Amino acid sequence: MRFLHTFLLLVVGFATVTVVYCASFLPLERTFPLNRPVEIDRLKTRDLVRHARLLQRVSVGGIVDFPVEGSSDPFQAGLYFTKVKLGSPPREFNVQIDTGSDVLWVNCNSCSDCPQSSALGIQLNFFDAASSSTAGLVACSDPICTSAVQTTATECSSQNNQCGYAFKYGDGSGTSGFYISDTFRFDAILGDSLISNASALIVFGCSTYQSGDLTKTDKAVDGIFGFGQGDLSVISQLSSRGITPRVFSHCLKGEGNGGGILVLGEILEPGLVYSPLVPSQPHYNLNLQSIAVNGQLLPIDPAVFATENNRGTIVDSGTTLAYLVEEAYDPFVSAVTSTVSQLATPTISNGDHCYLVPTSISDIFPPVILNFAGGASMVLKPEEYLTHRGSYDGAAMWCMGFEKSQGGITILGDLVLKDKIIVYDLARQRVGWASYDCSLAVNVSMTSGKDQFVNAGQLSMSISSREMVFQLLPLRIMTLLVHTFVFTICEFL
């Protein structure tokens, strides 16, 4: 959908929410039946949720699971997206999963340039602040607009006292609109067997203008779900209030119809390796140190990957392909071509380096290894650096999925990130990964740094004294355990 992002540093503050409890006559029902033994862990979990309500918190170190759709194939979806529920009553929006930007924004009903239909087979929705009983505009006096560090992400309209924004992406597309404060609804996992409806007040964008690729219908979605490190990202808003851990993870399925797993929490896998984030960067910058093809290090000066002067290596799920700086791209393509020249026929198609392959690419093309700081290596299979372009003269045509970067930035997009667990650990300032079949369930830590964990996907519980496991499969929405509340809450925003 788009390939590059501009750098946005968002510094914000959050408005205080006041909650007033209203008295009424209420029927009482027991959560646990009389005269039956109840495990102490279940009682603790119930109390934890009750205390969280009294403290006006959704959870304590809980995790949030999202369904994932889309694929990395540029000739199909070319992006991964998930669903979010906003407003009261809640409306559902399909938004692109984007670790290269910060803000969650959705199409506003007043948008005149937003696409009206999508070739992805989804119905597009538009947010209407007037129809949500919990929506509130963000005023110019709000810390979002009055922060000492102003960026292009915020702007104030003195005419209507609305805090607005304007984003420009690297592919030339852009969006602008205004900020909304409203209820974000999600599925939270707490304790052992409790999965409950949850909600939190967040700030997000309502898009009133779009340009470039964002206006096209071929891959149109309802907006973009920014997972960056900025204060306005949803992960930052929720973790700052103790609702979720300060870590999120995804596992994007590359084969078939795609899909996968997205969770606010830390996926645990024995094969995970981690590399430290480059400090004080607005994106997920890593120190790429070298590249090896078929076990041989390429003659590339490590300085070309250094994070300085708008250069560096970025992990970005909002980019479909992958991009290498020019100094690394040419040696990379030459090494791959030299390795396969006896078994595949090199050719040029639409300006891209391609190969006519008579058999499986796994039998011909070499593994590629990206070496990062901290001793962490990422091994790429042929389908993680090549894209299939059909056939020619009875042979399959595979082309380089790595493009030559025009801006001196190396970007690892979905082509590289697919079929791997990727963990963005903001608390420890590191990114981890491991090759994985993303159609399988994954273990997810309840609280970053602790040994309590759950499994993201469909519910299937197994409990011991030190661990709690839930079975959550990708592309499945969690079954909710319905509890009867014995009080009424009136919220005044």
Side-chain angles (χ1 to χ4, degrees), residues 18 21 92 151 154 223 367 369 372 383 394 451 485:
T18 301
Y21 291 85
E92 196 168 69
T151 73
T154 61
I369 301 178
F372 295 87
E383 57 268 28
D451 59 11
F485 294 162

Side-chain angles (χ1 to χ4, degrees), residues 16 52 79 117 143 200 262-263 270 295 298 308 319 366 368 383 385 452 489:
T16 300
L79 58 88
S117 63
L262 170 65
V263 62
L298 301 183
E308 57 183 13
T319 294
V368 171
E383 57 268 28
Y385 63 85
Q452 193 177 46
I489 299 178

Side-chain angles (χ1 to χ4, degrees), residues 4-296:
L4 298 175
H5 303 280
T6 52
F7 298 87
L8 301 175
L9 177 61
L10 306 176
V11 180
V12 302
F14 302 110
T16 300
V17 181
T18 301
V19 178
V20 179
Y21 291 85
C22 304
S24 62
F25 296 96
L26 303 167
L28 297 180
E29 297 183 19
R30 292 187 179 275
T31 303
F32 302 106
L34 280 174
N35 303 320
R36 289 188 186 178
V38 179
E39 294 180 4
I40 189 67
D41 286 341
R42 294 191 65 196
L43 293 173
K44 289 180 179 179
T45 299
R46 178 189 177 280
D47 287 343
L48 176 63
V49 177
R50 168 63 175 164
H51 297 164
R53 293 192 197 111
L54 294 176
L55 296 172
Q56 310 311 318
R57 295 172 63 182
V58 177
S59 65
V60 181
I63 68 169
V64 180
D65 177 59
F66 297 91
V68 176
E69 298 180 53
S71 75
S72 62
D73 189 341
F75 302 103
Q76 294 184 28
L79 58 88
Y80 291 90
F81 58 96
T82 188
K83 299 179 186 297
V84 295
K85 294 179 181 179
L86 301 169
S88 301
R91 295 202 65 186
E92 196 168 69
F93 299 89
N94 291 288
V95 286
Q96 183 180 2
I97 300 166
D98 182 17
T99 61
S101 63
D102 290 324
V103 176
L104 166 63
W105 62 263
V106 295
N107 297 329
C108 214
N109 66 331
S110 58
C111 181
S112 58
D113 302 283
C114 296
Q116 301 296 310
S117 63
S118 173
L120 297 177
I122 59 175
Q123 179 179 347
L124 298 183
N125 291 314
F126 296 84
F127 185 82
D128 182 8
S131 66
S132 173
S133 62
T134 51
L137 296 177
V138 178
C140 291
S141 58
D142 191 281
I144 292 173
C145 283
T146 59
S147 170
V149 183
Q150 289 292 321
T151 73
T152 57
T154 61
E155 53 187 25
C156 188
S157 172
S158 57
Q159 295 180 345
N160 53 18
N161 192 31
Q162 281 187 5
C163 183
Y165 64 86
F167 304 139
K168 194 75 172 179
Y169 299 109
D171 63 352
S173 62
T175 178
S176 61
F178 56 92
Y179 285 116
I180 289 284
S181 173
D182 205 348
T183 302
F184 176 60
R185 301 177 187 275
F186 50 91
D187 296 328
I189 303 177
L190 301 170
D192 54 5
S193 62
L194 178 65
I195 305 175
S196 65
N197 276 322
S199 65
L201 196 68
I202 65 164
V203 173
F204 59 93
C206 198
S207 175
T208 58
Y209 170 79
Q210 292 175 16
S211 62
D213 285 348
L214 290 175
T215 65
K216 297 179 180 179
T217 61
D218 56 342
K219 297 178 181 179
V221 288
D222 295 323
I224 291 179
F225 197 169
F227 277 88
Q229 301 183 71
D231 290 343
L232 198 53
S233 70
V234 171
I235 183 66
S236 293
Q237 293 190 56
L238 296 182
S239 64
S240 68
R241 286 176 269 171
I243 295 172
T244 62
R246 199 162 174 256
V247 55
F248 69 95
S249 315
H250 59 65
C251 194
L252 308 176
K253 190 172 181 293
E255 296 299 321
N257 294 325
I261 293 171
L262 170 65
V263 62
L264 305 189
E266 180 182 7
I267 293 180
L268 304 177
E269 170 64 23
L272 278 165
V273 295
Y274 288 87
S275 185
L277 286 168
V278 180
S280 305
Q281 298 298 314
H283 291 286
Y284 295 107
N285 282 74
L286 296 177
N287 279 310
L288 178 60
Q289 297 178 331
S290 64
I291 300 176
V293 174
N294 209 27
Q296 300 295 314

